[in-house]
Amino acid sequence: MRAVVPKKKKSPTKAKQGHPGRAAAAANIVSIDEFRARNTGDEVAAGFMKWVRANTELLQLGDPLPVLRAFLENHGASARTSVTTVLEPSATQVALGKYVYDHPDEDFDFVLHVVVGYLLYLDDSDLWSGSDELFEEVQEALLEALDDDSDEEFDDRVFDVPALTRSQTRDSLLALPLATHLQAFIAWFGNKRDVTSTGLLTRKDIQGAAAALGVAAQGVGSLPQGTSPDQGAPLQVTSAQQIPQLDLLWDSLLRIGLVEVGSRHAIMNHPLESLEGTAREDMLMHLLRDVALSLYMQLNATAAATGFGDEDPEDGDANLFDNMLSTILLDAGTEEGIESGQLAEALATLERAELDEGSLTELSVDLLVAEGLLERDTHIRVPDVLKKLVAFAVAEPSGLEINYEDPRDEDLAYLGAAD
C-alpha cells in the first residue's frame, strides 16, 4: 500500500485508446468472452470485454473477466453500493488489496491493468456515473500504482528533522502525556512487583498499574457472561495484557532494561534516584525517548505483521496493506501531515470491508495520540521533538532521505544545542 491518503498532484492525461478503425471493425464481432458476460445478464461486463478486445492486448496476458468480477464484488462490499459505473478511491484500494489477499499468485500488474481498463472503458462508453474530479482522482491513483517509477518517487521524499535546543527538547518531552504516565508508573511500581509465570503483572496489580496510565481497569478471575458493563465502569480484564496501553508500556520497559523480570518478581531499576539537576533532566529525557521509540517500533511491527499478500518484504506489489502504520507515520512526519478526515474515511472504508487492518491501525493511531506521540486536530502530525525517532524507526528503513537541520541529530543520544 503506497499511501493511506494519496498526495494531490496534477492528474495525468487520460490514456489514448486503440485505433478507431480497429475498434469499428471489431464492433460487430461477438466474442466468447462477451458471450460469457452477456449470458450472466451483465451488460456492463459484456461491453467491457468487447472494449478490451478492440482496444487492448489484455487477452494475450490473461482472462480479465474473473478479475473484474471479483474486483467489483470487493468494491461494492467496501463502498456499500451495487452501482458498478463509478469507483471510489478508498474502496478501490481496499478492493485491490482484498483481491491480492484472495489470489496471492495472481500477477498484480495484470490486475491493475484490468481495473485501469475498466475505468477507461466506463469513460470511453459514457457509462461513468461519477464526477470528473472523482474520475481523475481514481485514475491518478491507479496510473501511479502502474508507474514503474512510483516507488522511487515515493522514496524521493525528504524527511525533515528540525533543529531544537536542549531546553526546547526538554520542555516538549515533559509536556507529553507519556512523560506523566511513565513517571506515575515508576512511582506506583516501587522496587518490586509480583509477576505471573508468563512475566506479566498479576491481577491484583492491574488496577493500580492502569490508573498510573490514566486507564480505569480491574483485574478479575473471570469475565461475567451475558451482561454489558455499565457506562463509565472500569474495564474488567483477566490479564494485564488485555489493556493495550499497559501491555505496550510494560514491553517497552522490558526492552530498554528499566524493568527486569524473574521467575516470580519484576524489579524496577531507578536511574533517576541518584541524579539531580541537569543530569536528572538528561536521564529523564533519554528514558522518555527510549520508551517512545519502542512504542513506535512495536506498533509499526504489529501493523506490518498483518499485511495482505505474500510475506516476502521485497514483494511490494503483493502487500497493499503492509506497513500501514509506517505510511501514516511518514505522511504525518512530512510536510503538513495527514488530514484527519481523509484518514478517518480510509480507515472506515477498511472497516466496511470487514478488514482487520482498519481497526488495528485505528487503535494504534489512537494509542499514539493518547501518549502524545502523534498530534491530532484538523491534521495528524508527528511532534517536532519526536521526528528524529520516526526518522530512525521508519523513514530511514523506508529509504527516504533524512534532512537533519542540525547534523548532530544523527546521534540518537543528542539532546539539542545548548541555549
Side-chain angles (χ1 to χ4, degrees):
M1 181 176 176
R2 288 205 60 259
V4 175
V5 184
K7 292 286 187 276
K8 296 289 185 182
K9 57 185 178 183
K10 185 177 180 181
S11 297
T13 304
K14 293 181 184 178
K16 294 182 180 180
Q17 306 309 316
H19 191 281
R22 179 158 62 94
N28 295 322
I29 301 174
V30 178
S31 68
I32 292 177
D33 303 300
E34 182 184 347
F35 178 79
R36 280 191 301 150
R38 272 190 211 286
N39 200 39
T40 63
D42 191 344
E43 293 295 325
V44 173
F48 170 67
M49 293 309 298
K50 175 178 282 190
W51 182 91
V52 163
R53 182 165 37 82
N55 295 279
T56 76
E57 297 180 353
L58 278 176
L59 293 175
Q60 298 178 23
L61 304 175
D63 187 352
L65 193 56
V67 174
L68 178 64
R69 283 179 173 159
F71 167 79
L72 290 177
E73 181 180 351
N74 294 338
H75 181 277
S78 177
R80 292 186 175 178
T81 180
S82 59
V83 177
T84 59
T85 55
V86 63
L87 301 180
E88 298 288 342
S90 295
T92 296
Q93 283 192 329
V94 170
L96 285 169
K98 184 67 164 59
Y99 186 91
V100 171
Y101 178 73
D102 292 337
H103 306 84
D105 297 327
E106 188 79 73
D107 180 359
F108 185 62
D109 191 59
F110 175 69
V111 175
L112 274 174
H113 275 92
V114 170
V115 178
V116 169
Y118 181 69
L119 180 70
L120 296 177
Y121 156 71
L122 292 177
D123 182 61
D124 201 34
S125 305
D126 294 326
L127 293 175
W128 175 258
S129 56
S131 66
D132 290 344
E133 291 77 11
L134 185 60
F135 180 93
E136 290 184 359
E137 187 175 352
V138 176
Q139 179 184 236
E140 177 185 2
L142 290 172
L143 293 183
E144 183 180 350
L146 277 171
D147 185 357
D148 291 338
D149 298 324
S150 60
D151 287 340
E152 293 182 8
E153 180 183 338
F154 181 76
D155 289 342
D156 279 347
R157 288 190 300 170
V158 176
F159 193 97
D160 292 315
V161 176
L164 300 177
T165 65
R166 181 190 174 280
S167 62
Q168 287 174 324
T169 300
R170 178 199 62 207
D171 294 346
S172 296
L173 286 174
L174 292 181
L176 298 175
L178 176 64
T180 301
H181 295 157
L182 176 61
Q183 293 178 90
F185 185 86
I186 292 174
W188 165 83
F189 191 101
N191 293 319
K192 184 171 67 174
R193 291 282 171 175
D194 294 338
V195 293
T196 67
S197 59
T198 56
L200 301 174
L201 289 171
T202 59
R203 283 196 293 267
K204 64 182 175 61
D205 280 337
I206 286 177
Q207 183 173 358
L213 305 183
V215 178
Q218 290 179 338
V220 296
S222 61
L223 298 177
Q225 299 295 323
T227 59
S228 301
D230 296 334
Q231 187 173 6
L235 174 67
Q236 293 189 332
V237 297
T238 58
S239 167
Q241 203 168 30
Q242 295 169 354
I243 304 172
Q245 296 94 320
L246 178 56
D247 184 44
L248 287 166
L249 179 67
W250 184 252
D251 193 62
S252 293
L253 298 183
L254 294 177
R255 287 170 183 258
I256 69 173
L258 200 64
V259 170
E260 297 179 11
V261 172
S263 59
R264 298 178 57 188
H265 306 290
I267 297 174
M268 174 73 72
N269 295 309
H270 291 277
L272 297 173
E273 278 188 349
S274 59
L275 301 176
E276 296 179 352
T278 300
R280 188 181 189 282
E281 284 184 349
D282 287 351
M283 178 57 71
L284 179 55
M285 285 191 280
H286 285 307
L287 289 177
L288 288 169
R289 293 207 307 193
D290 286 346
V291 173
L293 180 60
S294 177
L295 291 174
Y296 280 132
M297 298 185 78
Q298 283 185 74
L299 289 170
N300 190 53
T302 301
T306 62
F308 275 120
D310 295 340
E311 296 181 357
D312 183 358
E314 296 181 358
D315 189 1
D317 283 346
N319 279 307
L320 282 185
F321 293 107
D322 195 17
N323 293 328
M324 280 188 65
L325 188 62
S326 66
T327 300
I328 292 173
L329 289 173
L330 290 179
D331 283 350
T334 57
E335 299 177 0
E336 72 279 4
I338 305 173
E339 287 188 23
S340 299
Q342 285 183 303
L343 178 58
E345 175 55 31
L347 296 178
T349 301
L350 293 173
E351 185 176 355
R352 288 196 296 269
E354 298 181 351
L355 299 174
D356 293 338
E357 284 69 20
S359 57
L360 178 61
T361 304
E362 184 175 19
L363 174 62
S364 299
V365 170
D366 288 345
L367 289 172
L368 291 173
V369 170
E371 296 297 346
L373 306 192
L374 283 176
E375 298 172 339
R376 179 166 56 191
D377 43 46
T378 59
H379 288 70
I380 296 176
R381 303 177 183 87
V382 175
D384 284 349
V385 72
L386 300 175
K387 284 188 176 180
K388 181 164 74 170
L389 305 186
V390 174
F392 175 82
V394 185
E396 186 175 342
S398 298
L400 269 68
E401 177 185 350
I402 314 298
N403 174 37
Y404 293 100
E405 292 185 6
D406 184 344
R408 291 171 290 183
D409 268 320
E410 292 189 40
D411 179 6
L412 271 177
Y414 177 64
L415 295 174
D419 297 278

